[in-house]
Amino acid sequence: MEAPLTWSDWPAQRRPGVSALAALVIVAFVGFAAHFDTALGLLSAVVLLGSTAEAMLPTRFEVDEQGVSATNPLRAFRKEWARFGAWRPVEGGFWLDGKGRARILRRRGVFLRHAPAEAEQVLRARLGDPS
């Protein structure tokens, strides 16, 4: 693979009504918490945005020679190919299983949402056939 395969996904853009409702609930709760204590309001904002960031904020994915990375405004990670044991197509993308004997290590996978068709070729080349 010469150039990295990159794409972006923003689930909130696909379901604007649900996203607007979720944003409204977050703002209302943060406002309610901030009414009692500013620090509590700030903590609420961080926790709620952090827990919904994958759905509410755009994510940029990159698959290259070294591994897989995903970046959104609140979180970024990079995992090397050696950390994956298997992959499988799922509705809306591909799931990459973590590698390890312990179940908890295998659960530490990555969901490549709305990946382009070329991603399957890269996954086959790096991790073999889907499991």
Side-chain angles (χ1 to χ4, degrees):
M1 176 171 46
E2 302 82 32
L5 179 61
T6 61
W7 71 96
S8 293
D9 182 50
W10 192 1
Q13 194 174 39
R14 286 192 300 276
R15 299 186 67 192
V18 173
S19 301
L21 179 62
L24 183 65
V25 168
I26 290 171
V27 168
F29 186 80
V30 169
F32 180 75
H35 174 72
F36 292 104
D37 184 14
T38 306
L40 183 60
L42 183 61
L43 178 63
S44 299
V46 169
V47 169
L48 289 172
L49 283 176
S51 64
T52 60
E54 192 164 327
M56 297 293 287
L57 302 173
T59 302
R60 182 178 171 272
F61 295 95
E62 183 174 305
V63 176
D64 60 19
E65 294 289 333
Q66 287 76 39
V68 175
S69 64
T71 307
N72 70 34
L74 295 180
R75 181 174 176 239
F77 70 84
R78 174 149 193 82
K79 292 191 178 183
E80 306 300 320
W81 288 115
R83 296 189 63 187
F84 298 113
W87 69 280
R88 64 185 176 278
V90 294
E91 185 179 337
F94 300 102
W95 177 258
L96 282 64
D97 289 319
K99 188 177 195 178
R101 288 177 34 167
R103 177 179 280 171
I104 193 154
L105 294 176
R106 290 190 303 271
R107 285 188 190 163
R108 300 190 86 165
V110 174
F111 180 40
L112 301 177
R113 293 187 321 259
H114 290 260
E118 298 86 17
E120 183 173 356
Q121 298 166 355
V122 174
L123 295 174
R124 282 184 189 277
R126 292 288 172 186
L127 302 173
D129 289 332
S131 60

mmCIF file of all heavy atoms in Angstrom, residues 1 4-10 14 58-64 67-71 81 92-94 96 110-120 122-123:
data_model
loop_
_atom_site.group_PDB
_atom_site.id
_atom_site.type_symbol
_atom_site.label_atom_id
_atom_site.label_comp_id
_atom_site.label_asym_id
_atom_site.label_seq_id
_atom_site.Cartn_x
_atom_site.Cartn_y
_atom_site.Cartn_z
ATOM 1 N N MET A 1 0.859 -1.169 0.000
ATOM 2 C CA MET A 1 0.000 0.000 0.000
ATOM 3 C C MET A 1 0.897 1.220 0.000
ATOM 4 O O MET A 1 1.690 1.426 0.902
ATOM 5 C CB MET A 1 -0.889 -0.056 1.247
ATOM 6 C CG MET A 1 -1.744 1.136 1.416
ATOM 7 S SD MET A 1 -2.999 1.011 2.721
ATOM 8 C CE MET A 1 -2.139 0.335 4.082
ATOM 9 N N PRO A 4 -1.650 6.099 2.465
ATOM 10 C CA PRO A 4 -2.625 5.675 3.470
ATOM 11 C C PRO A 4 -4.056 5.825 2.954
ATOM 12 O O PRO A 4 -4.351 6.697 2.154
ATOM 13 C CB PRO A 4 -2.381 6.614 4.640
ATOM 14 C CG PRO A 4 -1.262 7.492 4.286
ATOM 15 C CD PRO A 4 -0.872 7.237 2.878
ATOM 16 N N LEU A 5 -4.902 4.952 3.410
ATOM 17 C CA LEU A 5 -6.327 5.012 3.084
ATOM 18 C C LEU A 5 -6.998 5.819 4.189
ATOM 19 O O LEU A 5 -6.934 5.445 5.363
ATOM 20 C CB LEU A 5 -6.888 3.589 3.027
ATOM 21 C CG LEU A 5 -8.354 3.418 2.720
ATOM 22 C CD1 LEU A 5 -8.676 3.988 1.340
ATOM 23 C CD2 LEU A 5 -8.713 1.946 2.777
ATOM 24 N N THR A 6 -7.606 6.940 3.845
ATOM 25 C CA THR A 6 -8.236 7.800 4.851
ATOM 26 C C THR A 6 -9.690 8.089 4.462
ATOM 27 O O THR A 6 -10.026 8.154 3.287
ATOM 28 C CB THR A 6 -7.489 9.139 5.007
ATOM 29 O OG1 THR A 6 -7.516 9.830 3.763
ATOM 30 C CG2 THR A 6 -6.059 8.924 5.433
ATOM 31 N N TRP A 7 -10.525 8.239 5.474
ATOM 32 C CA TRP A 7 -11.912 8.635 5.271
ATOM 33 C C TRP A 7 -12.440 9.215 6.575
ATOM 34 O O TRP A 7 -11.843 9.046 7.628
ATOM 35 C CB TRP A 7 -12.768 7.459 4.795
ATOM 36 C CG TRP A 7 -13.032 6.411 5.818
ATOM 37 C CD1 TRP A 7 -14.129 6.300 6.618
ATOM 38 C CD2 TRP A 7 -12.186 5.316 6.170
ATOM 39 N NE1 TRP A 7 -14.023 5.207 7.440
ATOM 40 C CE2 TRP A 7 -12.830 4.589 7.183
ATOM 41 C CE3 TRP A 7 -10.939 4.876 5.726
ATOM 42 C CZ2 TRP A 7 -12.279 3.452 7.758
ATOM 43 C CZ3 TRP A 7 -10.390 3.749 6.306
ATOM 44 C CH2 TRP A 7 -11.053 3.051 7.305
ATOM 45 N N SER A 8 -13.551 9.896 6.475
ATOM 46 C CA SER A 8 -14.190 10.485 7.651
ATOM 47 C C SER A 8 -15.604 9.950 7.794
ATOM 48 O O SER A 8 -16.249 9.599 6.810
ATOM 49 C CB SER A 8 -14.249 12.006 7.526
ATOM 50 O OG SER A 8 -12.957 12.545 7.583
ATOM 51 N N ASP A 9 -16.073 9.913 9.029
ATOM 52 C CA ASP A 9 -17.433 9.482 9.314
ATOM 53 C C ASP A 9 -17.988 10.355 10.427
ATOM 54 O O ASP A 9 -17.304 10.659 11.397
ATOM 55 C CB ASP A 9 -17.460 8.012 9.742
ATOM 56 C CG ASP A 9 -18.872 7.537 9.993
ATOM 57 O OD1 ASP A 9 -19.734 7.764 9.123
ATOM 58 O OD2 ASP A 9 -19.123 6.959 11.064
ATOM 59 N N TRP A 10 -19.231 10.758 10.253
ATOM 60 C CA TRP A 10 -19.889 11.593 11.243
ATOM 61 C C TRP A 10 -21.319 11.093 11.412
ATOM 62 O O TRP A 10 -22.230 11.502 10.688
ATOM 63 C CB TRP A 10 -19.868 13.046 10.797
ATOM 64 C CG TRP A 10 -20.256 14.017 11.856
ATOM 65 C CD1 TRP A 10 -20.600 13.768 13.147
ATOM 66 C CD2 TRP A 10 -20.349 15.430 11.693
ATOM 67 N NE1 TRP A 10 -20.879 14.925 13.805
ATOM 68 C CE2 TRP A 10 -20.731 15.969 12.933
ATOM 69 C CE3 TRP A 10 -20.139 16.293 10.629
ATOM 70 C CZ2 TRP A 10 -20.915 17.322 13.132
ATOM 71 C CZ3 TRP A 10 -20.315 17.641 10.827
ATOM 72 C CH2 TRP A 10 -20.694 18.154 12.070
ATOM 73 N N ARG A 14 -25.737 11.886 9.742
ATOM 74 C CA ARG A 14 -26.684 10.965 9.109
ATOM 75 C C ARG A 14 -28.042 10.980 9.796
ATOM 76 O O ARG A 14 -29.048 10.648 9.178
ATOM 77 C CB ARG A 14 -26.122 9.548 9.124
ATOM 78 C CG ARG A 14 -25.013 9.326 8.138
ATOM 79 C CD ARG A 14 -24.692 7.857 7.972
ATOM 80 N NE ARG A 14 -24.278 7.209 9.203
ATOM 81 C CZ ARG A 14 -23.047 7.208 9.690
ATOM 82 N NH1 ARG A 14 -22.093 7.844 9.056
ATOM 83 N NH2 ARG A 14 -22.767 6.574 10.810
ATOM 84 N N PRO A 58 -17.300 14.311 14.372
ATOM 85 C CA PRO A 58 -16.730 13.622 13.205
ATOM 86 C C PRO A 58 -15.430 12.905 13.578
ATOM 87 O O PRO A 58 -14.656 13.384 14.403
ATOM 88 C CB PRO A 58 -16.472 14.754 12.209
ATOM 89 C CG PRO A 58 -16.403 15.992 13.021
ATOM 90 C CD PRO A 58 -17.251 15.763 14.228
ATOM 91 N N THR A 59 -15.221 11.740 12.968
ATOM 92 C CA THR A 59 -14.024 10.943 13.209
ATOM 93 C C THR A 59 -13.312 10.721 11.883
ATOM 94 O O THR A 59 -13.941 10.399 10.880
ATOM 95 C CB THR A 59 -14.381 9.583 13.834
ATOM 96 O OG1 THR A 59 -15.085 9.818 15.056
ATOM 97 C CG2 THR A 59 -13.144 8.760 14.125
ATOM 98 N N ARG A 60 -12.001 10.892 11.904
ATOM 99 C CA ARG A 60 -11.170 10.646 10.724
ATOM 100 C C ARG A 60 -10.404 9.351 10.952
ATOM 101 O O ARG A 60 -9.701 9.204 11.951
ATOM 102 C CB ARG A 60 -10.184 11.792 10.515
ATOM 103 C CG ARG A 60 -9.331 11.627 9.287
ATOM 104 C CD ARG A 60 -8.402 12.834 9.124
ATOM 105 N NE ARG A 60 -7.457 12.609 8.087
ATOM 106 C CZ ARG A 60 -6.283 12.013 8.254
ATOM 107 N NH1 ARG A 60 -5.915 11.605 9.432
ATOM 108 N NH2 ARG A 60 -5.472 11.834 7.234
ATOM 109 N N PHE A 61 -10.558 8.401 10.042
ATOM 110 C CA PHE A 61 -9.873 7.115 10.116
ATOM 111 C C PHE A 61 -8.730 7.094 9.119
ATOM 112 O O PHE A 61 -8.823 7.681 8.033
ATOM 113 C CB PHE A 61 -10.837 5.974 9.786
ATOM 114 C CG PHE A 61 -11.955 5.812 10.768
ATOM 115 C CD1 PHE A 61 -13.189 6.403 10.548
ATOM 116 C CD2 PHE A 61 -11.776 5.059 11.915
ATOM 117 C CE1 PHE A 61 -14.222 6.255 11.445
ATOM 118 C CE2 PHE A 61 -12.802 4.912 12.829
ATOM 119 C CZ PHE A 61 -14.035 5.499 12.591
ATOM 120 N N GLU A 62 -7.663 6.379 9.478
ATOM 121 C CA GLU A 62 -6.535 6.188 8.563
ATOM 122 C C GLU A 62 -6.004 4.774 8.727
ATOM 123 O O GLU A 62 -5.771 4.312 9.842
ATOM 124 C CB GLU A 62 -5.426 7.194 8.847
ATOM 125 C CG GLU A 62 -4.275 7.079 7.877
ATOM 126 C CD GLU A 62 -3.254 8.181 8.072
ATOM 127 O OE1 GLU A 62 -3.644 9.360 8.021
ATOM 128 O OE2 GLU A 62 -2.082 7.836 8.271
ATOM 129 N N VAL A 63 -5.836 4.092 7.597
ATOM 130 C CA VAL A 63 -5.255 2.754 7.567
ATOM 131 C C VAL A 63 -4.012 2.859 6.700
ATOM 132 O O VAL A 63 -4.080 3.278 5.545
ATOM 133 C CB VAL A 63 -6.259 1.735 6.968
ATOM 134 C CG1 VAL A 63 -5.630 0.370 6.845
ATOM 135 C CG2 VAL A 63 -7.519 1.676 7.801
ATOM 136 N N ASP A 64 -2.857 2.486 7.275
ATOM 137 C CA ASP A 64 -1.609 2.578 6.519
ATOM 138 C C ASP A 64 -0.728 1.365 6.797
ATOM 139 O O ASP A 64 -1.173 0.390 7.371
ATOM 140 C CB ASP A 64 -0.876 3.893 6.835
ATOM 141 C CG ASP A 64 -0.517 4.043 8.297
ATOM 142 O OD1 ASP A 64 -0.496 3.026 9.023
ATOM 143 O OD2 ASP A 64 -0.249 5.173 8.720
ATOM 144 N N GLY A 67 -0.501 0.580 10.731
ATOM 145 C CA GLY A 67 -1.680 0.181 11.480
ATOM 146 C C GLY A 67 -2.890 1.039 11.189
ATOM 147 O O GLY A 67 -3.072 1.533 10.078
ATOM 148 N N VAL A 68 -3.708 1.239 12.226
ATOM 149 C CA VAL A 68 -4.985 1.940 12.109
ATOM 150 C C VAL A 68 -4.997 3.091 13.108
ATOM 151 O O VAL A 68 -4.549 2.946 14.242
ATOM 152 C CB VAL A 68 -6.150 0.972 12.428
ATOM 153 C CG1 VAL A 68 -7.476 1.691 12.434
ATOM 154 C CG2 VAL A 68 -6.160 -0.189 11.460
ATOM 155 N N SER A 69 -5.528 4.232 12.672
ATOM 156 C CA SER A 69 -5.690 5.350 13.607
ATOM 157 C C SER A 69 -7.071 5.961 13.406
ATOM 158 O O SER A 69 -7.647 5.894 12.329
ATOM 159 C CB SER A 69 -4.601 6.400 13.420
ATOM 160 O OG SER A 69 -4.695 6.992 12.151
ATOM 161 N N ALA A 70 -7.581 6.541 14.492
ATOM 162 C CA ALA A 70 -8.860 7.249 14.463
ATOM 163 C C ALA A 70 -8.700 8.500 15.306
ATOM 164 O O ALA A 70 -8.134 8.457 16.398
ATOM 165 C CB ALA A 70 -9.977 6.368 14.999
ATOM 166 N N THR A 71 -9.224 9.601 14.791
ATOM 167 C CA THR A 71 -9.079 10.882 15.476
ATOM 168 C C THR A 71 -10.390 11.641 15.413
ATOM 169 O O THR A 71 -10.996 11.750 14.354
ATOM 170 C CB THR A 71 -7.988 11.736 14.785
ATOM 171 O OG1 THR A 71 -6.791 10.967 14.683
ATOM 172 C CG2 THR A 71 -7.714 12.999 15.555
ATOM 173 N N TRP A 81 -0.668 -3.054 13.558
ATOM 174 C CA TRP A 81 -1.281 -4.269 13.033
ATOM 175 C C TRP A 81 -1.063 -5.451 13.972
ATOM 176 O O TRP A 81 -1.920 -6.328 14.083
ATOM 177 C CB TRP A 81 -0.737 -4.601 11.650
ATOM 178 C CG TRP A 81 -1.228 -3.677 10.593
ATOM 179 C CD1 TRP A 81 -0.486 -2.804 9.855
ATOM 180 C CD2 TRP A 81 -2.574 -3.503 10.146
ATOM 181 N NE1 TRP A 81 -1.280 -2.104 8.987
ATOM 182 C CE2 TRP A 81 -2.573 -2.512 9.136
ATOM 183 C CE3 TRP A 81 -3.790 -4.074 10.508
ATOM 184 C CZ2 TRP A 81 -3.731 -2.102 8.494
ATOM 185 C CZ3 TRP A 81 -4.946 -3.664 9.852
ATOM 186 C CH2 TRP A 81 -4.907 -2.689 8.868
ATOM 187 N N GLY A 92 -22.363 -1.648 8.607
ATOM 188 C CA GLY A 92 -21.820 -0.298 8.717
ATOM 189 C C GLY A 92 -20.309 -0.211 8.733
ATOM 190 O O GLY A 92 -19.761 0.861 8.967
ATOM 191 N N GLY A 93 -19.590 -1.308 8.482
ATOM 192 C CA GLY A 93 -18.128 -1.223 8.458
ATOM 193 C C GLY A 93 -17.451 -2.544 8.735
ATOM 194 O O GLY A 93 -17.945 -3.608 8.371
ATOM 195 N N PHE A 94 -16.304 -2.462 9.416
ATOM 196 C CA PHE A 94 -15.513 -3.642 9.748
ATOM 197 C C PHE A 94 -15.118 -3.575 11.217
ATOM 198 O O PHE A 94 -14.782 -2.510 11.731
ATOM 199 C CB PHE A 94 -14.235 -3.695 8.899
ATOM 200 C CG PHE A 94 -14.504 -3.759 7.427
ATOM 201 C CD1 PHE A 94 -14.376 -2.631 6.638
ATOM 202 C CD2 PHE A 94 -14.892 -4.946 6.830
ATOM 203 C CE1 PHE A 94 -14.620 -2.678 5.280
ATOM 204 C CE2 PHE A 94 -15.152 -5.002 5.473
ATOM 205 C CZ PHE A 94 -15.015 -3.869 4.694
ATOM 206 N N LEU A 96 -12.369 -4.926 13.926
ATOM 207 C CA LEU A 96 -11.057 -5.526 14.092
ATOM 208 C C LEU A 96 -10.927 -5.974 15.537
ATOM 209 O O LEU A 96 -11.033 -5.154 16.455
ATOM 210 C CB LEU A 96 -9.946 -4.513 13.776
ATOM 211 C CG LEU A 96 -9.655 -4.238 12.309
ATOM 212 C CD1 LEU A 96 -10.831 -3.608 11.616
ATOM 213 C CD2 LEU A 96 -8.440 -3.361 12.171
ATOM 214 N N VAL A 110 -11.344 -2.374 17.257
ATOM 215 C CA VAL A 110 -11.631 -1.096 16.618
ATOM 216 C C VAL A 110 -12.749 -1.311 15.603
ATOM 217 O O VAL A 110 -12.746 -2.298 14.867
ATOM 218 C CB VAL A 110 -10.375 -0.548 15.892
ATOM 219 C CG1 VAL A 110 -10.695 0.690 15.103
ATOM 220 C CG2 VAL A 110 -9.261 -0.284 16.884
ATOM 221 N N PHE A 111 -13.701 -0.391 15.583
ATOM 222 C CA PHE A 111 -14.775 -0.425 14.598
ATOM 223 C C PHE A 111 -14.470 0.621 13.537
ATOM 224 O O PHE A 111 -14.432 1.817 13.825
ATOM 225 C CB PHE A 111 -16.115 -0.139 15.268
ATOM 226 C CG PHE A 111 -17.286 -0.164 14.325
ATOM 227 C CD1 PHE A 111 -17.386 -1.111 13.321
ATOM 228 C CD2 PHE A 111 -18.303 0.753 14.460
ATOM 229 C CE1 PHE A 111 -18.473 -1.143 12.462
ATOM 230 C CE2 PHE A 111 -19.397 0.741 13.609
ATOM 231 C CZ PHE A 111 -19.481 -0.215 12.607
ATOM 232 N N LEU A 112 -14.210 0.172 12.324
ATOM 233 C CA LEU A 112 -13.969 1.074 11.198
ATOM 234 C C LEU A 112 -15.318 1.366 10.548
ATOM 235 O O LEU A 112 -15.814 0.609 9.725
ATOM 236 C CB LEU A 112 -13.007 0.435 10.189
ATOM 237 C CG LEU A 112 -11.629 0.054 10.728
ATOM 238 C CD1 LEU A 112 -10.817 -0.637 9.651
ATOM 239 C CD2 LEU A 112 -10.911 1.273 11.252
ATOM 240 N N ARG A 113 -15.937 2.476 10.961
ATOM 241 C CA ARG A 113 -17.270 2.839 10.490
ATOM 242 C C ARG A 113 -17.221 3.360 9.060
ATOM 243 O O ARG A 113 -16.394 4.194 8.730
ATOM 244 C CB ARG A 113 -17.872 3.927 11.386
ATOM 245 C CG ARG A 113 -18.185 3.491 12.774
ATOM 246 C CD ARG A 113 -18.940 4.568 13.535
ATOM 247 N NE ARG A 113 -18.498 5.922 13.286
ATOM 248 C CZ ARG A 113 -17.711 6.614 14.116
ATOM 249 N NH1 ARG A 113 -17.283 6.086 15.221
ATOM 250 N NH2 ARG A 113 -17.374 7.845 13.825
ATOM 251 N N HIS A 114 -18.147 2.880 8.275
ATOM 252 C CA HIS A 114 -18.346 3.353 6.899
ATOM 253 C C HIS A 114 -17.036 3.411 6.120
ATOM 254 O O HIS A 114 -16.752 4.394 5.435
ATOM 255 C CB HIS A 114 -19.070 4.704 6.892
ATOM 256 C CG HIS A 114 -20.490 4.568 7.322
ATOM 257 N ND1 HIS A 114 -21.519 4.517 6.438
ATOM 258 C CD2 HIS A 114 -21.046 4.401 8.548
ATOM 259 C CE1 HIS A 114 -22.650 4.360 7.094
ATOM 260 N NE2 HIS A 114 -22.395 4.282 8.374
ATOM 261 N N ALA A 115 -16.273 2.338 6.229
ATOM 262 C CA ALA A 115 -14.995 2.247 5.525
ATOM 263 C C ALA A 115 -15.229 2.071 4.030
ATOM 264 O O ALA A 115 -16.192 1.425 3.618
ATOM 265 C CB ALA A 115 -14.185 1.078 6.062
ATOM 266 N N PRO A 116 -14.354 2.633 3.201
ATOM 267 C CA PRO A 116 -14.480 2.429 1.757
ATOM 268 C C PRO A 116 -14.183 0.977 1.388
ATOM 269 O O PRO A 116 -13.605 0.219 2.177
ATOM 270 C CB PRO A 116 -13.434 3.383 1.173
ATOM 271 C CG PRO A 116 -12.468 3.634 2.266
ATOM 272 C CD PRO A 116 -13.219 3.481 3.545
ATOM 273 N N ALA A 117 -14.566 0.590 0.198
ATOM 274 C CA ALA A 117 -14.396 -0.798 -0.256
ATOM 275 C C ALA A 117 -12.936 -1.232 -0.240
ATOM 276 O O ALA A 117 -12.641 -2.406 0.008
ATOM 277 C CB ALA A 117 -14.975 -0.944 -1.660
ATOM 278 N N GLU A 118 -12.008 -0.312 -0.470
ATOM 279 C CA GLU A 118 -10.581 -0.648 -0.493
ATOM 280 C C GLU A 118 -10.095 -1.143 0.869
ATOM 281 O O GLU A 118 -9.089 -1.842 0.966
ATOM 282 C CB GLU A 118 -9.730 0.554 -0.915
ATOM 283 C CG GLU A 118 -10.012 1.063 -2.306
ATOM 284 C CD GLU A 118 -11.167 2.059 -2.334
ATOM 285 O OE1 GLU A 118 -11.542 2.610 -1.282
ATOM 286 O OE2 GLU A 118 -11.705 2.267 -3.430
ATOM 287 N N ALA A 119 -10.796 -0.781 1.936
ATOM 288 C CA ALA A 119 -10.380 -1.190 3.284
ATOM 289 C C ALA A 119 -10.407 -2.702 3.435
ATOM 290 O O ALA A 119 -9.552 -3.280 4.100
ATOM 291 C CB ALA A 119 -11.263 -0.530 4.330
ATOM 292 N N GLU A 120 -11.371 -3.363 2.801
ATOM 293 C CA GLU A 120 -11.438 -4.822 2.891
ATOM 294 C C GLU A 120 -10.201 -5.464 2.289
ATOM 295 O O GLU A 120 -9.661 -6.422 2.841
ATOM 296 C CB GLU A 120 -12.698 -5.354 2.209
ATOM 297 C CG GLU A 120 -12.833 -6.845 2.354
ATOM 298 C CD GLU A 120 -14.154 -7.382 1.849
ATOM 299 O OE1 GLU A 120 -15.025 -6.593 1.441
ATOM 300 O OE2 GLU A 120 -14.308 -8.613 1.887
ATOM 301 N N VAL A 122 -7.206 -4.182 2.136
ATOM 302 C CA VAL A 122 -6.089 -3.936 3.051
ATOM 303 C C VAL A 122 -6.173 -4.887 4.243
ATOM 304 O O VAL A 122 -5.165 -5.467 4.662
ATOM 305 C CB VAL A 122 -6.082 -2.464 3.530
ATOM 306 C CG1 VAL A 122 -5.020 -2.243 4.592
ATOM 307 C CG2 VAL A 122 -5.875 -1.526 2.360
ATOM 308 N N LEU A 123 -7.373 -5.073 4.788
ATOM 309 C CA LEU A 123 -7.540 -5.964 5.927
ATOM 310 C C LEU A 123 -7.205 -7.402 5.558
ATOM 311 O O LEU A 123 -6.565 -8.120 6.335
ATOM 312 C CB LEU A 123 -8.964 -5.870 6.476
ATOM 313 C CG LEU A 123 -9.342 -4.518 7.083
ATOM 314 C CD1 LEU A 123 -10.819 -4.505 7.461
ATOM 315 C CD2 LEU A 123 -8.479 -4.193 8.275
#
